[in-house]
Amino acid sequence: MHKKEIDFSRYSSIKIGPKVEVLVVEDGDELPNNRFIIGGANNLLVSPNPKPLMMLGKSFDYIKIENDYLEVGCAVKTGRLLSFAKKHNIANLEFIAKLPGTIGGMVAMNAGVKSYEIFNQIIEVEIDGKWVKKEDIEFGYRFAKLNGVATRVRLNLEYGYSEDLKKELIKLRANQPKEPSAGSAFKNPPGDYAGRLIEAVGLKGVRRGDMAFSNIHANFLVNLGKGRFDDAIYLINLAKERVYKEFNIELKEEIKIV
């Protein structure tokens, strides 16, 4: 194991956070149980004093085709897996186009688009060094209870990559803002949309400091320049309070606050 200094104001997708020493874990290392795993930091909001952090190293950055499944290390970036799927004519992974981050991050939050989710394709996940079948993991809309760190995953292997499906799914995300963000701030409550609720309570476009709920899609908390952690937290709490008061709906963060 070794440590690496990461500047989260550059590394994280929302461009907020301090410089921190992060533990890099390689294959064969014992996984510490007192550290938060950062993945690609695409849905993270890192505080000025985060808990101890770790990330997977290069030995978990690989993709290989076995006889009847695809094995992927959890440090693999989504863009790399998509390119691999296209090159090898592998089906059912088109939905990861334009979903930034690492495969480990996708597994940890069961990321996806509409009815397409990574758990639809999972056979088993290596968690803390042991393979666990999908059936033995509790998962649902935008969550997976891994009870440990995902290091590799085995996916269904079917052939027939579709560029048309990829384009169709990218279109669904055409209304996402271009400014730095951590993706959706909140999970959609059952039968409703977080963006609609935030807009309904008058917070679309509302700004504090350099943080704002986007004018394009209210469920995106965007950094308009030198956004600060405190301002982001203020807006997150404001949205939760207003939506609860108005609709009696408890918004749950999709963004991970560290």
Side-chain angles (χ1 to χ4, degrees):
M1 290 194 219
H2 64 280
K3 287 189 175 172
K4 179 178 178 180
E5 187 179 74
I6 290 186
D7 180 353
F8 283 94
S9 69
R10 302 176 72 148
Y11 182 77
S12 70
S13 61
I14 201 167
K15 307 297 179 209
I16 290 175
K19 284 184 182 168
V20 183
E21 292 267 294
V22 176
L23 188 71
V24 181
V25 180
E26 297 291 357
D27 193 13
D29 290 342
E30 197 174 321
L31 287 162
N33 57 10
N34 61 342
R35 287 179 176 262
F36 182 90
I37 188 151
I38 63 167
N42 283 279
N43 68 329
L44 292 192
L45 177 58
V46 181
S47 72
N49 297 298
K51 57 183 82 169
L53 303 172
M54 64 176 168
M55 66 194 297
L56 297 179
K58 287 193 169 63
S59 50
F60 293 106
D61 187 1
Y62 71 90
I63 306 169
K64 61 180 181 184
I65 296 174
E66 297 293 354
N67 291 336
D68 51 358
Y69 61 83
L70 186 66
E71 187 171 299
V72 185
C74 283
V76 170
K77 293 250 190 308
T78 50
R80 185 176 164 216
L81 181 57
L82 184 70
S83 300
F84 186 95
K86 185 176 180 176
K87 183 181 173 186
H88 296 275
N89 190 31
I90 294 168
N92 304 322
L93 292 171
E94 296 88 350
F95 73 94
I96 68 176
K98 298 271 196 270
L99 276 180
T102 61
I103 300 310
M106 287 197 77
V107 172
M109 63 178 293
N110 189 17
V113 182
K114 302 291 187 204
S115 62
Y116 297 87
E117 296 176 333
I118 192 71
F119 261 83
N120 295 352
Q121 302 310 320
I122 286 175
I123 300 166
E124 53 187 350
V125 183
E126 188 186 59
I127 301 170
D128 293 350
K130 294 189 181 76
W131 286 101
V132 181
K133 290 198 174 352
K134 172 167 91 172
E135 294 73 26
D136 297 326
I137 299 170
E138 191 188 333
F139 65 92
Y141 168 69
R142 298 295 170 271
F143 87 91
K145 283 196 180 155
L146 301 178
N147 300 318
V149 174
T151 43
R152 311 171 217 271
V153 61
R154 287 174 178 159
L155 304 170
N156 291 318
L157 183 59
E158 288 178 45
Y159 292 96
Y161 175 87
S162 168
E163 189 66 23
D164 288 345
L165 176 61
K166 185 192 94 172
K167 285 177 181 159
E168 197 181 306
L169 293 171
I170 286 175
K171 259 191 222 155
L172 291 175
R173 295 199 291 281
N175 67 337
Q176 292 186 359
K178 300 285 183 274
E179 299 93 348
S181 80
S184 301
F186 299 101
K187 298 174 187 181
N188 287 326
D192 211 332
Y193 295 96
R196 184 196 79 77
L197 295 165
I198 294 165
E199 196 169 340
V201 296
L203 289 178
K204 187 176 188 179
V206 164
R207 177 172 181 168
R208 181 175 171 106
D210 268 357
M211 298 305 300
F213 284 113
S214 171
N215 274 315
I216 294 166
H217 191 315
N219 193 26
F220 277 71
L221 189 61
V222 294
N223 185 344
L224 302 172
K226 296 197 181 324
R228 292 171 58 241
F229 177 81
D230 293 350
D231 294 330
I233 293 293
Y234 173 86
L235 289 171
I236 286 168
N237 290 334
L238 182 64
K240 286 166 81 169
E241 282 164 24
R242 284 211 191 162
V243 168
Y244 187 74
K245 193 175 169 187
E246 182 80 19
F247 298 104
N248 206 27
I249 291 172
E250 214 171 300
L251 285 180
K252 292 194 165 68
E253 291 97 336
E254 188 165 310
I255 196 170
K256 296 269 190 292
I257 299 163
V258 189

